[in-house]
Amino acid sequence: MELKRVVVTGLGAVTPLGANVGETWENAIKGVSGAGPITLFDASKFKTRFACEVKNFDYSKFLDRKEARKFDRYAQFALAAAIEGMENSGLDLEKEDLDKIGVIFSAGIGGIRTFEEEVGSYYTNIEAGPRFNPFFIPKMIADIAAGHISMKYGLRGPNLSAVSACASSTHALGIAFDLIRLGKATAIVAGGAEAAVCVAGVGGFNSMHALSTRNDDPQGASRPFSKSRDGFVIGEGAAALILEEMDHAIARGATIYGEIAGSGMSADAYHITASHPEGLGAMLVMKNALADAGMQPEDIDYVNVHGTSTPIGDISEVKAIQSVFGDHAYNMNISSTKSMTGHLLGAAGAIETLFSLLSIRDGIVPPTINFHEGDEDPDIDYKLNFTFNKAQKREVKAALSNTFGFGGHNASIIVKKFEK
């Protein structure tokens, strides 16, 4: 069976850097940090009192107040990104077979804010007995964003959510890619959303000592590969990519941002939260992605790394890159856009793949901001081009994006310049 080629024809995003793709990308190239004091709840007693929040989000542009009550904040983000992506794609659904258009949209946690609010309300009013909102369960579950998007457009093709912590939306893209190239769908709205900037989210990650506590400098707190890094900055938002079978996209005259070349999956099989210290799972997932794409390490120009700004994680990923790419690692650009967006958890892979596509389109690599001084660990070789502090212009023909999740879940995806 000959596999079909898969291209990206639409992009949508709502992030701490902007309300849409244009604003987000412009600020990423400028090296803007989306971090600031938490406004979504009173964080005054928390170890970490800042985050990368989505600013001035207005759901009323696409949902009336009554309907919005059925949506957790994460699902509102998902729908906003999907709407922009669909509009950007130019798909005329009146001319399409909606049985062949699907939605694979993920979250690592899902409606944690809804869970927190409903259970908290129960314990606050425990003497009155259990009184839960009838929308509690459908608002909370991690698959509901995919359901809402399909209902918005009447899309009856494959519909599901991959849940693999911070690797979730990269897995969603990989699954969508496979379904289209196998001929099981013509187009798929793929991506991820997350909204865990809440008491449970921040409190839970604080208890693990996973978050930066640099409260005096929120915008400088996410500093991947810098000696003074002390944890990640939690973020929120969503990104949607419209994946489409190549011949179908060409036939309707679609704008093509790039081609999905291959994807990879692996497991660390090591620890519930820590990455393997030698980066074994990270090595395997990148090798798997390259093999799936039929590409050599030398074909990759840019790696958008997982790069969360944690002491152990950054080192293990660099070890893996040097192992997989060898001498070519010194010819590539490497950057962690989490230094600007914060860590969007289950939505991270989607926004970082979107950045990779725009790097190909515009010939520029977004920076890793907040670098101050090198780590003394010999496993981080600063002769590698980490694109520190300032975007760099270069031709990017192919880019690889990594995401790694708690539980040892690893996912990589490769995008490349489209050539008919």
Side-chain angles (χ1 to χ4, degrees):
M1 176 182 177
E2 184 178 353
L3 296 176
K4 299 179 183 295
R5 292 172 64 183
V6 182
V7 296
V8 179
T9 58
L11 302 175
V14 51
T15 76
L17 299 184
N20 51 50
V21 170
E23 289 180 9
T24 296
W25 181 235
E26 181 181 0
N27 284 322
I29 292 304
K30 289 179 180 178
V32 173
S33 169
I38 291 172
T39 65
L40 294 171
F41 69 94
D42 180 3
S44 59
K45 295 181 180 180
F46 283 68
K47 294 178 182 177
T48 297
R49 298 185 291 278
F50 61 94
C52 287
E53 296 178 347
V54 170
K55 286 83 172 171
N56 304 314
F57 180 67
D58 184 6
Y59 67 78
S60 68
K61 292 180 180 179
F62 54 90
L63 283 173
D64 63 44
R65 189 173 181 178
K66 183 179 179 180
E67 192 69 13
R69 293 174 55 208
K70 303 175 185 177
F71 286 69
D72 184 87
R73 183 173 170 90
Y74 101 91
Q76 292 178 2
F77 289 158
L79 188 58
I83 289 171
E84 183 185 10
M86 287 293 282
E87 291 177 352
N88 183 240
S89 76
L91 272 168
D92 184 349
L93 297 183
E94 292 185 359
K95 298 178 180 179
E96 299 293 337
D97 180 358
L98 301 188
D99 293 350
K100 298 288 285 183
I101 301 180
V103 184
I104 315 292
F105 218 89
S106 291
I109 299 175
I112 189 171
R113 290 167 59 89
T114 294
F115 184 88
E116 174 185 289
E117 290 165 1
E118 291 296 320
V119 175
S121 177
Y122 167 71
Y123 282 109
T124 301
N125 303 286
I126 196 166
E127 293 181 0
R131 295 181 181 179
F132 286 89
N133 188 317
F135 298 122
F136 171 33
I137 298 300
K139 282 179 68 175
M140 177 193 72
I141 52 181
D143 66 300
I144 201 64
H148 281 308
I149 295 166
S150 70
M151 287 182 274
K152 164 73 175 176
Y153 292 105
L155 308 178
R156 297 185 294 269
N159 188 276
L160 60 93
S161 174
V163 179
S164 50
C166 303
S168 296
S169 56
T170 305
H171 276 133
L173 293 169
I175 293 167
F177 169 55
D178 284 341
L179 289 171
I180 295 172
R181 64 176 172 170
L182 289 170
K184 296 185 177 183
T186 300
I188 293 179
V189 184
E194 206 78 89
V197 182
C198 60
V199 169
V202 175
F205 283 118
N206 261 162
S207 71
M208 299 169 60
H209 305 286
L211 298 181
S212 170
T213 56
R214 204 177 296 277
N215 294 299
D216 58 340
D217 183 20
Q219 293 191 339
S222 182
R223 45 182 69 184
F225 311 113
S226 193
K227 179 181 179 180
S228 53
R229 64 193 183 278
D230 70 331
F232 73 82
V233 177
I234 191 169
E236 60 174 5
L241 286 72
I242 312 304
L243 274 58
E244 191 171 343
E245 192 273 317
M246 180 191 72
D247 290 337
H248 182 272
I250 291 173
R252 69 179 185 86
T255 296
I256 294 176
Y257 289 93
E259 181 174 358
I260 307 293
S263 67
M265 305 179 190
S266 77
D268 275 3
Y270 171 71
H271 189 273
I272 58 171
T273 57
S275 57
H276 193 285
E278 298 302 317
L280 297 186
M283 292 179 205
L284 180 59
V285 76
M286 288 187 279
K287 289 179 180 179
N288 288 344
L290 287 164
D292 188 47
M295 298 173 74
Q296 300 299 314
E298 293 75 20
D299 296 325
I300 303 299
D301 300 306
Y302 168 44
V303 177
N304 187 301
V305 292
H306 187 57
T308 59
S309 186
T310 57
I312 297 174
D314 288 3
I315 293 172
S316 64
E317 188 171 11
V318 171
K319 284 183 179 180
I321 288 171
Q322 291 182 292
S323 175
V324 171
F325 290 95
D327 290 342
H328 179 65
Y330 299 91
N331 300 324
M332 304 186 304
N333 273 75
I334 297 166
S335 76
S336 171
T337 47
K338 288 184 180 73
S339 60
M340 298 175 286
T341 65
H343 192 352
L344 271 60
L345 308 177
I351 189 62
E352 289 158 14
T353 303
L354 186 152
F355 285 153
S356 299
L357 285 162
L358 294 178
S359 292
I360 291 170
R361 184 193 70 178
D362 295 347
I364 191 167
V365 174
T368 304
I369 67 169
N370 298 327
F371 178 74
H372 296 280
E373 59 180 326
D375 197 305
E376 294 170 358
D377 192 300
D379 289 312
I380 295 187
D381 187 346
Y382 290 97
K383 293 179 182 177
L384 295 169
N385 186 355
F386 289 100
T387 323
F388 282 135
N389 297 326
K390 186 177 181 181
Q392 293 179 12
K393 292 184 177 181
R394 69 165 293 166
E395 182 181 21
V396 180
K397 293 182 178 179
L400 181 149
S401 177
N402 284 332
T403 45
F404 312 138
F406 285 175
H409 313 299
N410 305 311
S412 295
I413 194 159
I414 297 174
V415 292
K416 66 180 182 180
K417 186 171 290 187
F418 173 67
E419 295 178 354
K420 185 177 178 182

